[in-house]
Amino acid sequence: MVCTPSLDATSLETLLAAAVAAPSIHNTQPWRFRVNPDTHALEVRAARERSLPMADPDGRAQHLSMGAAVFNLRVAAVHLRRQPEVRLLPDPSEPDLIAVVRLGGAIGPHDRSRRRLDLYDAIARRHTSRMPFTGRPVPGPVVMEMSEAARAEGARLRLPDIAGTRRLLHLTAVAEARNHASSSRTAETRAWITPPGSDRPYGIPVTALGPPDAARRMPARDFTGPLPALHLPALRFERHAQVALLWTAHDRRKDWLQAGQALQHVLLTATAYGVRTSLLHQAMEWPDLRAAIGHPRRPCCPQLLIRFGYGPDGGRTPRAGGWETADRPAER
Ligand SMILES: Cc1cc2nc3c(=O)[nH]c(=O)nc-3n(C[C@H](O)[C@H](O)[C@H](O)COP(=O)(O)O)c2cc1C
């Protein structure tokens, strides 16, 4: 690995630790990182071997996940008091090169790009929580800040009322039932669940899964199916869930990467205010249901449903280093 004065080993470790902490579909961590020996820039590349052909044939969710990692790199760069310079999809002849990130000029103590909220601190504290929430509503100003976070990245949050929420959860439940009925989709999902004691650095440990909703209102993804040993007793989820639909105006790879950055900006903003989050992606995995989620009068490209509220923290999920082998920082 080549380290320049502007990208030393300690900075690299800070950047990478932040990047790999990002959420990813089924914790596939579909990224790899490398320092370009000629330009000394940090490259984010797609790890195609960790894609989901059934749930995500176009790689849209994979791009959302990689976009979230890019956002964490930006936050970590600011934490290092350096201006992040990011180019998305910089080379059409290299489709797996997702982003190039450089540390630009120094950020002074009064620079406006230093965020008021400590999003860096939130990176390590954010975990998907699939547990029931208390039902205490998240205050309007916090929700507005989450909405502005999405907008800052070129995406939007739709905040539905009770009827709109019920509709989105119903479409998610329809998708969940279809996933359940598909043996190939169920097999793909289960392949990413890891049993207790496993040292696999990818996938979701059973300890991070949530219980089913006793009132059957919350169509959380059933990762394990009818395996009796993995079944948790049902609990009652919040009666009026708060959800936000993350959407973009267009549906190109660049939009997916922007949506991923928006997702992470929203999740870290929520975390900074003590708000827990979980994600419902099932309806996005069926083209007709995804289209139905789009607003009938104001068409949009739905990307992900975010559930938020107050409640217990989520269980921990493992992470791999994320380096291409030759680029792993030397032991110090
Ligand atoms: C694009 C995307 C889609 C996801 N979809 C779901 C989902 O449908 N259900 C769910 O429980 N978690 C979902 N997740 C959350 C991941 O399972 C989670 O991020 C991953 O297991 C890592 O755990 P962590 O978020 O606690 O770090 C999704 C995450 C991303 C980025």
Side-chain angles (χ1 to χ4, degrees):
M1 185 192 65
V2 179
C3 288
T4 65
S6 61
L7 201 52
D8 57 89
T10 309
S11 300
L12 268 174
E13 279 188 49
T14 300
L15 290 165
L16 261 295
V20 301
S24 61
I25 186 155
H26 297 8
N27 200 23
T28 48
Q29 303 165 54
W31 46 61
R32 70 169 48 95
F33 304 94
R34 125 177 226 269
V35 178
N36 184 307
D38 301 321
T39 64
H40 309 305
L42 184 59
E43 296 180 348
V44 183
R45 289 174 179 272
R48 284 191 186 269
E49 71 279 11
R50 288 194 297 280
S51 58
L52 300 173
M54 298 305 302
D56 187 34
D58 301 328
R60 193 186 52 78
Q62 187 176 33
H63 281 71
L64 285 180
S65 308
M66 293 187 289
V70 169
F71 186 77
N72 278 6
L73 283 173
R74 289 169 47 200
V75 172
V78 173
H79 173 75
L80 294 168
R81 299 182 172 233
R82 299 289 295 276
Q83 199 70 56
E85 294 172 1
V86 179
R87 284 194 302 143
L88 298 178
L89 304 172
D91 185 350
S93 71
E94 275 207 79
D96 284 352
L97 180 55
I98 296 303
V100 173
V101 181
R102 284 172 177 283
L103 296 187
I107 295 174
H110 304 299
D111 196 305
R112 272 155 45 98
S113 55
R114 296 209 62 203
R115 295 167 198 281
R116 193 167 48 81
L117 269 181
D118 190 355
L119 295 187
Y120 179 76
D121 192 45
I123 288 176
R125 286 191 290 115
R126 183 215 58 81
H127 305 286
T128 301
S129 176
R130 301 182 179 86
M131 298 301 286
F133 294 160
T134 62
R136 175 161 70 95
V138 176
V142 175
V143 177
M144 284 322 297
E145 224 170 297
M146 290 163 60
S147 185
E148 281 160 23
R151 190 181 280 264
E153 308 304 330
R156 295 283 196 278
L157 283 190
R158 189 201 298 167
L159 298 157
D161 58 14
I162 289 179
T165 299
R166 208 170 286 151
R167 183 171 170 277
L168 290 175
L169 293 181
H170 169 71
L171 290 168
T172 302
V174 173
E176 179 60 20
R178 287 189 196 173
N179 284 350
H180 222 257
S182 159
S183 53
S184 49
R185 291 194 184 222
T186 312
E188 182 180 81
T189 305
R190 267 190 220 151
W192 290 95
I193 296 299
T194 53
S198 164
D199 57 2
R200 196 174 161 217
Y202 303 101
I204 307 177
V206 283
T207 47
L209 299 178
D213 182 4
R216 302 171 75 91
R217 276 188 296 258
M218 183 56 61
R221 193 190 290 274
D222 179 0
F223 284 95
T224 55
L227 297 176
L230 300 177
H231 248 239
L232 296 166
L235 292 176
R236 204 163 265 277
F237 277 57
E238 62 274 20
R239 172 176 280 278
H240 295 300
Q242 273 184 291
V243 299
L245 177 71
L246 179 71
W247 63 274
T248 50
H250 303 283
D251 211 21
R252 302 157 299 195
R253 292 177 72 208
K254 190 163 167 265
D255 302 298
W256 302 339
L257 292 172
Q258 283 181 327
Q261 292 179 80
L263 168 68
Q264 188 64 354
H265 200 159
V266 170
L267 298 182
L268 294 184
T269 302
T271 303
Y273 282 107
V275 175
R276 308 283 187 208
T277 54
S278 68
L279 304 170
L280 296 157
H281 186 262
Q282 301 99 308
M284 315 298 155
E285 295 161 15
W286 296 89
D288 59 326
L289 299 177
R290 189 174 175 226
I293 278 190
H295 201 287
R297 286 188 305 279
R298 279 179 289 134
C300 69
C301 304
Q303 301 296 350
L304 195 56
L305 199 56
I306 304 170
R307 164 183 169 253
F308 57 95
Y310 297 101
D313 196 1
R316 302 290 181 274
T317 48
R319 292 295 188 274
W323 286 100
E324 286 198 352
T325 319
D327 285 321
R328 185 178 297 280
E331 294 293 326
R332 284 173 299 129

